[in-house]
């Protein structure tokens, strides 16, 4: 193998010298294992390009069985065909992981138990040994180190040598942990000679002041070569029949982009333009099998019948049809695996990742995402094209050609079945013949999409107003300019009326695309035949839903768009693939995660999760609400598919937020959490920023504080897409300018401000009033009692129970406000009246309500100090001075057969709003008002003979919390309805 490596380097050096007279600008990115759904800064080939590319590849391909000898495809007469396993760099980061991979290969090659249903006699059997090939990437970080060696050589040879030494020493240290010197000495010698050869090549780069692509490719390819030998050493030490295969000795390819270099990290277009030459490669494979294979003992009749050979092959690297060392470009090891699967006529390919298969969305951005059981090749390609690191689109061609299933499994959870990719989607023409259009929701339990993915870092380039030129010519020239400049066009939309075209391009290609378009239409721009060409200056993202089930199913796009609207995500561009397997939109980059989560919930791929912030959570009202949320959590999950995530709580002085928007571990003891080290001082600005940054599309703030300074933030929260629930009356009855600003924020952002519980606690007072108005009824008068404290006091006081004692009992029962003077002065009732009046369209403030206070000016204006309990005790003591006059008034009404009730009126015709204490006889609806009840009578043009009455218990924190809970469920149902 040493001769091959040195000859490859000689060829690279030769290419380097030839390039001395034509320096090329070296472009590369760092190649490393990419997590399952990452798509940042990616560029892609269009699906139509991929289809054409696959068609061309098919013309160059030949069925494996026609070109590979059975000695290769069925080694040593083993009954089972080969199986190919691919391991990325993340699976080979250290010696422990190399051992894990080695043991996994030994287990896989030993065979697996077959289900009883698959055997003829119905008994469970064993498959027998399975010939196994492992395709390995470079150790995690190795390719980056080798790229740094090449780059450093242009400026500082000592730095390049130091970087190379570090890379080699790290690999050697892992090697020596895995096998004894009898095995590793020879491999170490090869690696050290490789390092010397690399230095001899990169030394010449300073002379030509450039990095030819062939040099970069051959140098970085050593990461895979060393990695394969390291794993081979471990397996040989374990006594396994094994050999390592340098893919450059076997894999022959034709590259349309011979000078393209490595390609971009994470790009699904990286392997594009590289075509395997299967006939030549198959001959090389047979030559290797009969040569090195025999020498190493993997092609031998001496292998026991209970064992199968394990071949470790290098991923990423190959040789061009002209004999020049090359690569399959960035992340090309996937392609290596599927090519070798076709060459060996394998039964399956397994891509080992660090996640449980292909997920419905990127789990880092959508925590609710889960593993998909199965995908069609076409679905997987669409997902890959739009950013999901499933399998590179080009890499699927060999498997499609041979109908080889691709399994995506978790190396850290090998017992999990993962995701299988196999089969083609039904063509659109076949789908159209198959049936009629139906709404996707009518198919109970069937979800039309398989996954949701995104491409970050894109820009929009728009050419507008070119109708004078003609649409066809505009499109041809515009797209031609992009092709000529090498721009990856990800999406295209066109408005025929104005011959305007918008394309989506990678952000890092935006300026180049703009210059290309401006150059092409320079004359038309100068003559104003084209209105303009513009490039967005803000980072955008593509969000796409993908699935075969979308075809001939109505409502899919509506569900998608509605979910984004509910999440307050603005759509810049919309496009649907002609195959009806995907719908893609372009949104602001900052909104991408929120869009992903909203769409994921919309198609019931996960529960509808509502992020909840509870302000004033330590008070009686907030504590009661959190207790109720905890009690009903499981029921909401089962019955409504709704998950309530309390991710921030506060008291009047402190707050705590779940890290990165995560749910707080427990919400049962808020005081304990706020006393922890993780709690901070209450900072409304910081809380607001965290609320805006929360990527959950369904956000709700519940304000239990009844604090004006908190109400000042409502408009900000609503404008950011959050919903607000306020049981207090500070916002609903506060300054009219702020009230109108809040209302405007609600209507402008498709969000909700729920304050049903601000009047009547859990009674449906406001919803009843809205129903009357929205159905065209004419509400003329509202009357009744809105104070639970007043209802209790005047139901309880008599000759034996004084006024102050009745108030004390109301306070003990938690019927009163924190400041009981707000109840007794009538201010609290007046605020509720204002809330009702504003619902009726009346321009009313608290100052406009005629209020009868039960307190003297001295008590109302007195400054009390101490704790809340001490202040209330002092007030109650002062209230004793009112016992005698209140008893007198009570007797006067009682003697006339009337009862005292604190009554409110809203007269729409006169505009008069008032709250006052008056006597009512037994014909009045308030006569039988119970001690903790509210009552509201609606006199309308429809309810003429008798008013519509809403009456019920409405005092105490439990009932008020129930009202807030109902408000939250109303919002939650709205979220679910939008999905």
């Amino acid at each position: 193998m040493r001769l091959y490596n040195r000859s490859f380097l000689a060829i690279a050096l030769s290419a380097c010298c030839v390039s001395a007279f034509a320096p090329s600008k070296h472009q590369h990115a760092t190649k490393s294992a990419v997590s399952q759904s990452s798509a940042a800064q990616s560029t892609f080939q269009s699906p139509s390009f991929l289809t054409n590319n696959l068609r061309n590849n098919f013309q160059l391909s030949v069925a494996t069985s026609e070109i590979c000898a059975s000695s290769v495809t069925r080694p040593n007469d083993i009954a089972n065909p080969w199986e190919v396993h691919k391991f990325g760099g993340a699976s080979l980061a250290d010696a422990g992981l190399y051992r894990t991979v080695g043991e996994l290969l030994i287990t896989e090659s030993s065979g697996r138990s077959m289900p009883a249903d698959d055997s003829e006699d119905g008994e469970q059997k064993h498959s027998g040994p399975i010939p196994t090939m492992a395709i390995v990437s470079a150790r995690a970080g190795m390719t980056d180190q080798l790229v740094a060696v090449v780059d450093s050589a242009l400026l500082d040879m000592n730095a390049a040598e130091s970087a190379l030494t570090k890379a080699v020493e790290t690999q050697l240290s892992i090697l020596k942990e895995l096998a004894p010197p009898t095995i590793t000495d020879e491999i170490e010698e090869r690696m050290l000679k490789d390092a010397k050869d690399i230095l001899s090549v990169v030394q010449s780069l300073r002379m030509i002041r450039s990095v030819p692509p062939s040099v970069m490719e051959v140098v970085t390819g050593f990461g895979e070569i060393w990695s394969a030998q390291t794993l081979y050493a471990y397996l040989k030490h374990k006594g396994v029949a094994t050999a390592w295969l340098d893919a450059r000795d076997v894999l022959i390819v034709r590259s349309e982009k011979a000078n393209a270099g490595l390609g971009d990290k994470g790009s699904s277009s990286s392997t594009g333009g590289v075509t395997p030459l299967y006939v030549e490669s198959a001959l090389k494979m047979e030559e290797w099998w009969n040569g090195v294979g025999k020498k190493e003992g993997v092609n031998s009749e001496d292998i026991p019948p209970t064992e199968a050979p394990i071949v470790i092959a290098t991923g990423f690297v190959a040789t061009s049809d002209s004999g020049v060392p090359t690569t399959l470009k960035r992340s090309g090891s996937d392609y290596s695996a599927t090519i070798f699967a076709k060459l060996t006529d394998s039964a399956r390919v397994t891509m080992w990742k660090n996640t449980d298969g292909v997920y419905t969305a990127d789990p880092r951005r959508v925590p609710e995402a889960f593993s998909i059981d199965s995908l069609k090749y076409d679905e997987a390609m669409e997902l890959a094209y739009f950013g999901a690191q499933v399998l590179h689109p080009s890499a699927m061609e060999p498997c499609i050609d041979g109908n080889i299933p691709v399994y995506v499994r978790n190396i850290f959870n090998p017992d999990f079945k993962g995701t299988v990719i196999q089969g083609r989607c039904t063509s659109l023409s076949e789908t159209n013949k198959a049936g009629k259009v139906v709404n996707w929701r009518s198919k109970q339990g069937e979800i039309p999409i398989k996954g949701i993915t995104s491409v970050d870092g894109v820009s929009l380039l728009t050419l507008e107003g070119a109708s004078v030129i003609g649409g066809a010519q505009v499109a041809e020239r515009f797209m031609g300019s992009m092709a000529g400049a090498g721009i990856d066009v990800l999406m295209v939309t066109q408005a025929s009326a104005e011959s305007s075209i918008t394309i989506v391009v990678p952000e890092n290609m935006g300026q180049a695309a703009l210059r290309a378009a401006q150059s092409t239409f320079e004359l038309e721009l100068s003559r104003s035949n084209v209105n303009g060409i513009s490039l967005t200056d803000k980072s955008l993202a593509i969000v796409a839903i993908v699935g075969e089930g979308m075809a001939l199913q109505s409502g899919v796009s509506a569900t998608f768009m509605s979910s984004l609207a509910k999440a307050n995500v603005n759509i810049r561009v919309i496009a649907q693939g002609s195959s009806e397997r995907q719908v893609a939109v372009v949104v602001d980059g900052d909104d991408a995660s929120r869009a992903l989560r909203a769409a994921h919930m919309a198609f019931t791929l996960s529960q509808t999760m509502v992020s909840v912030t509870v302000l004033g959570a330590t008070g009686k009202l907030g504590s009661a609400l959190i207790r109720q949320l905890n009690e009903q959590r499981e029921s909401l999950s089962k019955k409504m598919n709704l998950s309530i995530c309390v991710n921030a709580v506060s008291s009047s002085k402190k707050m705590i937020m779940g890290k990165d928007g995560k749910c707080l571990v427990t919400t049962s003891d808020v005081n304990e959490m706020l006393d922890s080290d993780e709690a901070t001082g209450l900072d409304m600005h910081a809380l607001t920023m965290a609320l805006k940054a929360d990527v959950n599309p369904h956000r709700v703030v519940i304000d239990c504080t009844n604090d004006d300074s908190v109400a000042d933030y409502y408009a900000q929260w609503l404008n950011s897409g959050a919903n607000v629930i306020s049981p207090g009356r500070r916002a609903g009855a506060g300054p009219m300018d702020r009230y109108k600003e809040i209302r405007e924020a609600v209507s402008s952002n498709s969000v909700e401000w729920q304050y049903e519980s601000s009047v009547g606690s859990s009674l449906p007072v406001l919803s009843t009033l809205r129903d009357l108005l929205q159905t065209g009824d004419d509400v003329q008068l509202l009357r009744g009692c809105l104070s639970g404290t007043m209802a209790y006091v005047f139901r309880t006081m008599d000759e034996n129970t004084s006024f102050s004692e009745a108030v004390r009992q109301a306070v003990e029962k938690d019927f009163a406000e924190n400041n009981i003077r707000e109840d007794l002065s009538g201010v609290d009732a007046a605020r509720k009246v204002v809330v009702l009046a504003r619902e009726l369209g009346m321009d009313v403030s608290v100052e406009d309500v005629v209020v009868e206070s039960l307190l003297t000016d001295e008590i109302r204006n007195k400054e009390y100090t101490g704790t809340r309990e001490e202040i209330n005790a002092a007030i109650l003591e002062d209230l004793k001075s009112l016992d005698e006059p209140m008893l007198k008034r009570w007797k006067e009404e009682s003697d006339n057969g009337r009862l005292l009730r604190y009554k409110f009126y809203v007269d729409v015709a006169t505009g008069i709003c008032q709250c006052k204490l008056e006597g009512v006889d037994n014909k009045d609806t308030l006569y039988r008002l119970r001690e903790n009840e509210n009552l509201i009578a609606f006199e309308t043009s429809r309810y003429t003979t008798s008013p519509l009455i809403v009456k019920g218990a409405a005092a105490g924190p439990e009932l008020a919390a129930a009202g807030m809970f109902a408000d939250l469920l109303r919002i939650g149902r709205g979220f679910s309805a939008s999905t």
Side-chain angles (χ1 to χ4, degrees):
M1 303 303 294
R2 292 195 299 272
L3 293 177
Y4 284 112
N5 291 343
R6 295 178 67 85
S7 64
F8 284 140
L9 284 165
I11 294 171
L13 182 58
S14 174
C16 173
C17 295
V18 170
S19 301
F21 299 98
S24 62
K25 183 178 180 181
H26 170 55
Q27 294 181 342
H28 64 82
T30 302
K31 179 174 78 75
S32 63
V34 184
S35 56
Q36 185 70 15
S37 299
S38 172
Q41 304 283 330
S42 296
T43 58
F44 304 91
Q45 298 168 342
S46 68
S48 60
F49 176 88
L50 290 171
T51 302
N52 294 333
N53 191 36
L54 296 181
R55 187 179 298 114
N56 293 335
N57 288 349
F58 291 156
Q59 293 171 357
L60 292 171
S61 67
V62 181
T64 307
S65 58
E66 297 177 8
I67 58 175
C68 282
S70 60
S71 61
V72 175
T73 58
R74 292 294 184 274
N76 310 323
D77 294 324
I78 295 175
N80 293 312
W82 286 90
E83 292 187 4
V84 175
H85 300 261
K86 182 263 178 178
F87 299 93
S91 302
L92 301 165
D94 53 39
L97 287 172
Y98 273 95
R99 287 192 190 94
T100 298
V101 169
E103 293 301 325
L104 189 149
L105 288 172
I106 293 172
T107 300
E108 291 289 326
S109 69
S110 67
R112 63 181 66 89
S113 296
M114 299 172 61
D117 294 342
D118 293 347
S119 61
E120 294 180 0
D121 54 11
E123 295 183 2
Q124 189 176 45
K125 294 184 178 180
H126 194 270
S127 67
I130 300 172
T132 300
M133 177 176 284
I135 310 299
V136 296
S137 297
R139 172 185 57 81
M142 174 60 80
T143 305
D144 294 349
Q145 292 177 302
L146 293 176
V147 167
V149 170
V150 177
D151 286 344
S152 300
L154 291 172
L155 303 173
D156 185 345
M157 238 355 259
N158 291 330
E161 186 172 357
S162 176
L164 180 59
T165 299
K166 181 179 179 181
V168 174
E169 287 180 350
T170 303
Q171 191 72 44
L172 288 175
S173 67
I174 293 175
L175 173 69
K176 292 175 181 179
E177 281 190 55
L178 299 174
T182 54
I183 296 175
T184 62
D185 283 350
E186 183 181 355
I187 297 173
E188 179 180 3
E189 182 182 351
R190 286 200 295 265
M191 288 187 185
L192 292 175
K193 287 186 176 181
D194 290 342
K196 289 181 180 180
D197 292 338
I198 291 172
L199 282 178
S200 68
V201 171
V202 298
Q203 281 175 344
S204 64
L205 299 181
R206 296 189 68 184
M207 297 172 57
I208 62 174
R209 299 179 183 179
S210 66
V211 180
S214 59
V215 172
M216 180 59 72
E217 291 190 275
V218 75
V219 171
T220 54
F222 278 100
E224 277 71 14
I225 293 168
W226 297 339
S227 182
Q229 294 178 82
T230 302
L231 183 57
Y232 158 78
Y234 177 74
L235 292 173
K236 190 170 184 179
H237 173 54
K238 297 291 289 186
V240 175
T242 184
W244 79 276
L245 183 157
D246 186 340
R248 296 179 300 183
D249 298 337
V250 171
L251 185 53
I252 310 300
V253 300
R254 179 178 300 160
S255 178
E256 297 173 9
K257 300 178 180 179
N259 296 316
L262 297 180
D264 296 327
K265 175 183 175 182
S267 169
S268 65
S269 65
S270 294
T271 59
V274 178
T275 304
L277 301 180
Y278 286 103
V279 174
E280 293 89 336
S281 297
L283 292 173
K284 290 286 187 180
M285 182 72 202
E286 187 174 350
E287 180 183 335
W288 181 91
W289 182 250
N290 292 325
V292 177
K294 282 187 179 293
K295 180 180 177 181
E296 291 288 344
V298 291
N299 180 8
S300 173
E301 297 178 356
D302 296 333
I303 298 178
T306 57
E307 297 180 14
I310 300 177
V311 175
I312 310 300
T314 57
F316 180 55
V317 296
T319 298
S320 71
D321 53 354
S322 58
V324 177
T326 187
T327 67
L328 303 182
K329 313 309 175 188
R330 287 288 182 182
S331 301
S333 292
D334 286 356
Y335 202 8
S336 298
T338 57
I339 293 170
F340 275 110
K342 182 175 179 179
L343 283 174
T344 56
D345 197 17
S346 295
R348 64 164 67 183
V349 178
T350 301
M351 304 289 179
W352 292 95
K353 309 283 186 177
N354 57 1
T355 56
D356 288 334
V358 180
Y359 275 61
T360 51
D362 185 343
R364 296 167 304 174
R365 306 176 79 167
V366 183
E368 307 83 19
F370 55 89
S371 178
I372 303 170
D373 289 335
S374 64
L375 288 168
K376 300 290 182 62
Y377 293 125
D378 307 83
E379 292 173 320
M381 282 194 292
E382 293 280 6
L383 285 171
Y385 173 69
F386 285 107
Q389 291 299 305
V390 181
L391 189 67
H392 283 274
S394 298
M396 293 187 204
E397 178 267 315
C399 292
I400 294 174
D401 192 21
N403 196 29
I404 303 171
V406 178
Y407 290 79
V408 182
R409 296 169 64 190
N410 190 345
I411 189 171
F412 302 111
N413 185 20
D415 292 334
F416 188 78
K417 63 181 180 180
T419 303
V420 60
I421 304 171
Q422 188 178 27
R424 301 301 303 270
C425 290
T426 305
S427 68
L428 187 59
S429 59
E430 291 172 329
T431 301
N432 289 333
K433 294 176 183 177
K436 60 181 181 180
V437 175
V438 296
N439 190 281
W440 76 270
R441 293 183 184 278
S442 66
K443 296 186 175 183
Q444 297 296 324
E446 292 186 25
I447 299 173
I449 69 171
K450 286 292 183 72
I452 303 163
T453 186
S454 65
V455 181
D456 293 327
V458 303
S459 297
L460 300 183
L461 180 67
T462 301
L463 181 149
E464 54 185 336
S467 56
V468 176
I469 306 173
Q473 185 183 357
V474 170
E476 180 182 1
R477 293 175 61 194
F478 188 55
M479 298 306 293
S481 69
M482 296 301 105
I487 305 300
D488 289 320
V489 178
L490 308 179
M491 288 171 55
V492 182
T493 61
Q494 182 171 5
S496 58
E498 298 180 359
S499 294
S500 296
I501 302 176
T502 295
I503 62 172
V504 183
V505 299
E507 190 174 18
N508 57 7
M509 292 185 172
Q511 290 297 327
L514 178 62
R515 289 192 296 270
Q518 289 173 334
S519 175
T520 299
F521 292 94
E522 183 177 6
L523 180 61
E524 287 80 2
L525 286 168
S526 66
R527 295 176 176 176
S528 298
N529 291 339
V530 171
N531 287 353
I533 301 174
S534 60
L535 180 73
T536 53
D537 56 4
K538 185 176 182 181
S539 183
L540 305 174
I542 299 173
V543 176
I545 57 174
V546 175
E548 182 184 19
M550 296 166 59
L552 289 183
Q553 293 203 41
S554 63
V556 175
S557 293
T559 300
F560 184 29
M561 305 305 164
S562 177
S563 71
L564 300 186
K566 278 288 185 180
N568 202 37
V569 174
N570 181 47
I571 298 173
R572 305 289 295 271
V573 171
I574 302 172
Q576 177 172 335
S578 58
S579 65
E580 295 190 31
R581 282 192 290 269
Q582 56 88 1
V583 176
V585 300
V586 176
V587 302
D588 287 347
D590 293 340
D591 292 336
S593 293
R594 185 173 298 134
L596 286 167
R597 294 191 74 177
H600 199 270
M601 295 179 197
F603 289 96
T604 63
L605 292 173
S606 58
Q607 285 188 328
T608 299
M609 178 175 285
V610 183
S611 291
V612 176
T613 297
V614 182
L615 305 178
T618 56
K620 293 177 180 178
L621 191 55
S623 298
L625 173 64
I626 289 177
R627 185 166 55 253
Q628 291 179 18
L629 290 177
N630 283 332
E631 290 172 353
Q632 296 300 314
R633 191 180 306 278
E634 186 174 343
S635 176
L636 292 175
S637 177
K638 290 181 178 178
K639 297 179 179 179
M640 295 182 62
N641 199 36
L642 190 68
S643 175
I644 305 297
C645 168
V646 178
N647 59 7
V649 294
S650 80
S651 63
S652 60
K653 297 180 179 179
K654 301 182 75 174
M655 68 180 186
I656 185 169
M657 296 182 285
K659 189 175 181 180
D660 297 325
K662 299 291 192 304
C663 304
L664 295 173
V665 176
T666 175
T667 53
S668 57
D669 192 342
V670 176
N671 286 297
E672 183 178 329
M673 284 193 296
L674 290 172
D675 287 338
S676 69
D677 294 336
E678 296 179 359
T680 62
L682 179 61
D683 184 337
M684 292 301 298
H685 176 72
L687 190 145
T688 299
M689 291 301 100
L691 183 69
K692 291 180 178 180
D694 186 357
V695 297
N696 192 327
H698 308 318
R699 295 162 291 156
V700 178
V701 179
I702 303 179
D703 176 20
C704 303
T705 65
N706 203 25
D707 187 328
D708 259 321
S709 64
V710 176
D712 288 339
Y713 282 89
Y714 283 15
Q716 285 190 55
W717 298 337
L718 293 163
N719 282 324
S720 72
N723 302 267
V724 176
I725 295 173
S726 55
R729 273 73 65 184
R730 294 290 181 174
M736 182 58 75
D737 288 344
R738 185 177 66 190
Y739 177 82
K740 290 181 179 179
E741 182 184 13
I742 294 171
R743 281 292 186 192
E744 175 63 25
V746 170
S747 62
S748 299
N749 295 282
S750 296
V751 290
E752 294 192 45
W753 173 31
Q754 288 284 350
Y755 48 94
E756 178 78 69
S757 54
S758 67
V759 179
S761 289
S762 58
L763 297 179
V765 177
L766 293 178
S767 56
T768 300
L769 179 57
R770 290 167 186 154
D771 288 344
L772 292 173
L773 295 173
Q774 290 170 8
T775 57
D777 203 351
D778 181 20
V779 178
Q780 299 162 354
L781 179 69
L782 301 179
R783 56 182 172 84
C785 177
L786 292 171
S787 172
T789 302
M790 294 293 202
Y792 182 87
V793 168
F794 293 110
R795 178 76 179 186
T796 304
M797 73 167 289
D798 54 22
E799 293 177 311
N800 299 316
T801 304
S802 66
F803 173 72
S804 61
E805 173 60 21
V807 174
R808 186 191 65 77
Q809 291 180 22
V811 172
E812 282 187 350
K813 292 179 178 293
D814 284 333
F815 290 170
E817 295 293 310
N818 289 334
N819 183 351
I820 58 177
R821 287 185 293 180
E822 291 191 355
D823 286 306
L824 301 177
S825 66
V827 171
D828 184 61
R831 290 192 183 116
K832 295 176 182 177
V833 166
V834 170
V835 172
L836 289 172
R838 288 178 175 177
E839 287 292 319
L840 289 165
M842 300 170 66
D843 193 349
V844 175
S845 297
V846 174
E847 296 77 14
D848 301 318
V849 182
V850 180
V851 181
E852 178 183 353
S853 173
L854 305 186
L855 302 176
T856 62
D857 289 344
E858 180 183 358
I859 297 175
R860 187 168 62 248
N861 299 325
K862 184 176 180 180
E863 292 289 336
Y864 292 92
T865 59
T867 64
R868 184 193 306 168
E869 291 75 15
E870 291 171 343
I871 291 174
N872 281 341
I875 294 173
L876 288 171
E877 185 64 30
D878 289 345
L879 287 180
K880 291 180 180 179
S881 63
L882 301 178
D883 286 346
E884 186 175 339
M886 290 303 298
L887 179 61
K888 180 181 178 181
R889 190 166 179 180
W890 179 85
K891 285 182 177 180
E892 289 175 355
E893 298 297 341
S894 181
D895 290 344
N896 291 306
R898 292 191 292 268
L899 299 176
L900 284 175
R901 295 290 183 263
Y902 197 79
K903 198 170 185 178
F904 84 91
Y905 295 91
V906 177
D907 191 325
V908 179
T910 63
I912 295 175
C913 301
Q914 59 181 327
C915 302
K916 62 180 181 178
L917 183 65
E918 65 178 54
V920 298
D921 58 26
N922 59 7
K923 294 180 181 179
D924 195 296
T925 52
L926 291 177
Y927 187 83
R928 294 173 180 80
L929 189 69
R930 294 181 181 176
E931 60 186 22
N932 66 340
E933 289 183 334
N934 280 192
L935 183 148
I936 299 89
F938 299 83
E939 295 186 12
T940 75
S941 58
R942 292 176 183 161
Y943 291 89
T944 54
T945 57
S946 62
L948 170 64
I949 295 175
V950 175
K951 176 186 176 184
E958 291 296 330
L959 289 173
M964 289 187 291
F965 200 165
D967 282 342
L968 180 59
L969 293 185
R970 267 187 284 273
I971 294 175
R973 279 191 290 269
F975 294 149
S976 298
S978 70
T979 63

